Amino acid sequence: CAVSGTFNYVEVISSDATLEEGVKLGCFPARFSGENRELAASEVIAAAPMNACDPLEMQEDENGEEINPYAGKTVVLMRGECSFLVKTDNVRAANASGMILVNTQDSSLGYPLEMWLGERDTDQYDDRQKHPNGIGIPVCMAFPEAWAVLAAEGVSVSWAQFRQWDSDKEKLPEHDTTKLSIAPSEGELLWTDIPAGQATYNPSRPALEAEVVLVGWNSACTMDDQCAACALEEAPVTNGPALKDKIALAVLSTGAVQCLHWVYAVTTAIQEAGAVALVMINYEDRLWTNIPYLVPYPITIPTFNIMQTHGSMLTNRWILNGKVTVRIPELAFVPPDCDPSQQHCVASGPPLLLS
């Protein structure tokens, strides 16, 4: 089951002829999210109030009796004004079957964020042994454009392919890693092989060899309170021309590039600069699969992550010698959770996702 990506999404089902049937809407799972693969047609209803910061408003029937319009449905709501905890509690109190939070905040350029419930999440729902299905219902965040689709009349979604958050699936055991080869420095004879984790959305491609160039980031894109300024910049990368046809080496160990919240956004910025691959240096000596939950862009270059120790070695060689060449092997990656029977393997690229 060689694949080019695994994704988390809800499938949109609509009675409106103007909406394309079967649109797969990328949705990033909350840390506390559950899943329900049998929920194949859940009616969508917009929260009132739209930010769900207060208890959801009930309705009255023709006899003046209070009725709950949210029970058993998927509630779509907007980000902002209160915590994820408050929003989630209000949606669960209305007995909803699912929750989609649409990111409407400029501070993150609209990219979906990872949601958590603070201490409650760490103590309870983040522990899959105690709570194997999280809070019991699927919860995720989508792009701003999702609101127009989900808030339309007659819309339902299928949660059948949505998967809950599971950090253990992002940690790569040694047998699931690949190897990058570094050209010998002066006085050395042999290439140096280092282990690397690769993104589950890496495209299949032949082996390649190219020089490494360290990425320069726009300063506005490295601070949370400057993301609006980052959005107005021509590009988050300051040395784009130098990256063309090169392997980009990105140092993200201090949480830099806060505006590019997820790995796929970093890859997209590097891809637009013309690089042929991206190698990221981790903040610790561990390898990851690089967020296999949501890929809203057509990624055409491979992404890798390497341990901090190897990243320091590679960076030092680049600084001292001014030139380092790296070989990348032929790619055909199989994610740890690849399950063809559940249609969780995508052999021909990503499904249609809004961005």
Side-chain angles (χ1 to χ4, degrees), residues 116-342:
W116 62 94
L117 298 179
E119 291 184 2
R120 184 193 297 187
D121 187 21
T122 302
D123 294 341
Q124 299 182 43
Y125 300 110
D126 199 23
D127 187 335
R128 293 302 177 187
Q129 289 187 333
K130 292 181 180 178
H131 298 274
N133 199 32
I135 64 170
I137 64 172
V139 179
C140 62
M141 185 182 291
F143 277 79
E145 292 83 354
W147 183 266
V149 176
L150 297 173
E153 296 229 354
V155 170
S156 296
V157 294
S158 170
W159 291 94
Q161 301 304 322
F162 179 84
R163 301 294 180 265
Q164 65 185 160
W165 180 87
D166 187 348
S167 65
D168 286 338
K169 289 181 179 178
E170 295 179 10
K171 301 173 185 177
L172 280 176
E174 186 174 347
H175 67 272
D176 280 328
T177 66
T178 188
K179 279 185 169 55
L180 306 183
S181 299
I182 305 174
S185 295
E186 186 176 351
E188 297 178 339
L189 298 176
L190 301 177
W191 288 64
T192 303
D193 290 339
I194 61 173
Q198 49 173 320
T200 57
Y201 47 83
N202 276 354
S204 296
R205 60 170 302 154
L208 65 89
E209 179 179 315
E211 289 183 35
V212 167
V213 173
L214 193 64
V215 176
W217 296 110
N218 188 301
S219 59
C221 299
T222 62
M223 296 172 285
D224 277 328
D225 60 351
Q226 294 293 318
C227 285
C230 175
L232 298 176
E233 297 293 340
E234 292 185 2
V237 176
T238 60
N239 61 336
L243 298 176
K244 184 172 176 57
D245 299 325
K246 301 295 194 296
I247 295 173
L249 180 64
V251 182
L252 302 176
S253 57
T254 59
V257 200
Q258 296 297 321
C259 300
L260 302 176
H261 285 275
W262 301 114
V263 174
Y264 59 72
V266 176
T267 301
T268 302
I270 299 302
Q271 177 175 295
E272 291 176 349
V276 296
L278 168 63
V279 176
M280 296 188 304
I281 301 174
N282 289 336
Y283 59 88
E284 59 182 346
D285 282 340
R286 184 188 293 273
L287 301 177
W288 304 84
T289 61
N290 292 146
I291 314 297
Y293 298 115
L294 172 61
V295 185
Y297 302 106
I299 301 296
T300 59
I301 66 171
T303 298
F304 302 89
N305 63 99
I306 59 178
M307 297 180 186
Q308 185 180 45
T309 301
H310 296 133
S312 298
M313 176 189 71
L314 190 54
T315 303
N316 289 337
R317 285 194 181 192
W318 183 80
I319 293 173
L320 290 173
N321 302 326
K323 177 181 177 180
V324 177
T325 300
V326 169
R327 286 176 182 165
I328 295 175
E330 181 180 359
L331 300 180
F333 181 60
V334 180
D337 62 344
C338 181
D339 184 356
S341 67
Q342 296 296 327

Side-chain angles (χ1 to χ4, degrees), residues 70-139:
Y70 308 100
K73 300 178 183 178
T74 292
V75 176
V76 58
L77 56 144
M78 289 187 174
R79 183 186 168 207
E81 306 299 329
C82 62
S83 68
F84 298 138
L85 172 60
V86 171
K87 296 175 185 289
T88 303
D89 281 349
N90 287 331
V91 170
R92 292 181 71 203
N95 295 317
S97 62
M99 169 178 156
I100 300 176
L101 193 150
V102 176
N103 190 8
T104 54
Q105 301 293 297
D106 291 339
S107 63
S108 61
L109 307 187
Y111 296 140
L113 307 177
E114 183 179 29
M115 293 184 282
W116 62 94
L117 298 179
E119 291 184 2
R120 184 193 297 187
D121 187 21
T122 302
D123 294 341
Q124 299 182 43
Y125 300 110
D126 199 23
D127 187 335
R128 293 302 177 187
Q129 289 187 333
K130 292 181 180 178
H131 298 274
N133 199 32
I135 64 170
I137 64 172
V139 179

